[in-house]
Every structure is written in structure tokens, then in C-alpha cells.
Amino acid sequence: MEWDQELDASGLLCPLPVLKARKRLKAMAPGAVLRLVATDPAAVIDVPHFCAEQGHELLAVEEGAAARVFYLRKGGQSPKPE
């Protein structure tokens, strides 16, 4: 899957992965995709809840041996095609 920015939150515990994702998404354009890497076991609950509450779309979750990778599409109006 393609993404626009990546945030490595490996080693961070709740609520830091979500707080850092929120900050990064604020700086991104609507419709852009953030790839979030997290090792916190609570991220599997926190990230989908964050997306639902903030209006972002959780596109996919990849399960790895050491980490989970979340793909989040920033909510809001997508840029108009040129």
C-alpha cells in the first residue's frame, strides 16, 4: 500500500502512538495516508477508536512479528483533482 508519510512509534506506550499520529495528521492534507508503526499491544484498540472519533479512515492493519502497521487516511475534504 502506498502512503504519504510514515510515523515510527515503536517502543512507545499508550497514549503516545495515538498522540503522535494526531499531531502528524494535523500537518497533512486531507486524503493523505499516514503509515503508523506501533509495538504497543493497546494500539490495536486505540488506533481504530482514534480514527472513528476524529473522522479518519483506517485503511488497513498489517500484523508483524514485532509490530503492527496501521494505514490511516486523513479525514476532511480531499483535494480537488486537477
Side-chain angles (χ1 to χ4, degrees), residues 2 5 7-8 11 15 22 26 28 31 36-37 44 49 56 61 64 67-68 71-72 79:
E2 293 185 22
Q5 292 191 33
L7 174 61
D8 185 356
R22 176 185 296 158
K26 279 186 179 183
M28 295 172 65
L36 171 64
V37 179
V44 73
H49 179 73
H56 304 303
V61 180
R68 286 185 180 90
Y71 294 90
L72 315 175

Side-chain angles (χ1 to χ4, degrees), residues 34-73:
L34 174 65
R35 181 179 190 259
L36 171 64
V37 179
T39 54
D40 181 10
V44 73
I45 296 167
D46 294 344
V47 173
H49 179 73
F50 162 72
C51 289
E53 290 292 316
Q54 299 296 314
H56 304 303
E57 181 181 359
L58 180 58
L59 299 174
V61 180
E62 295 176 352
E63 300 281 338
R68 286 185 180 90
V69 179
F70 301 88
Y71 294 90
L72 315 175
R73 183 184 315 276

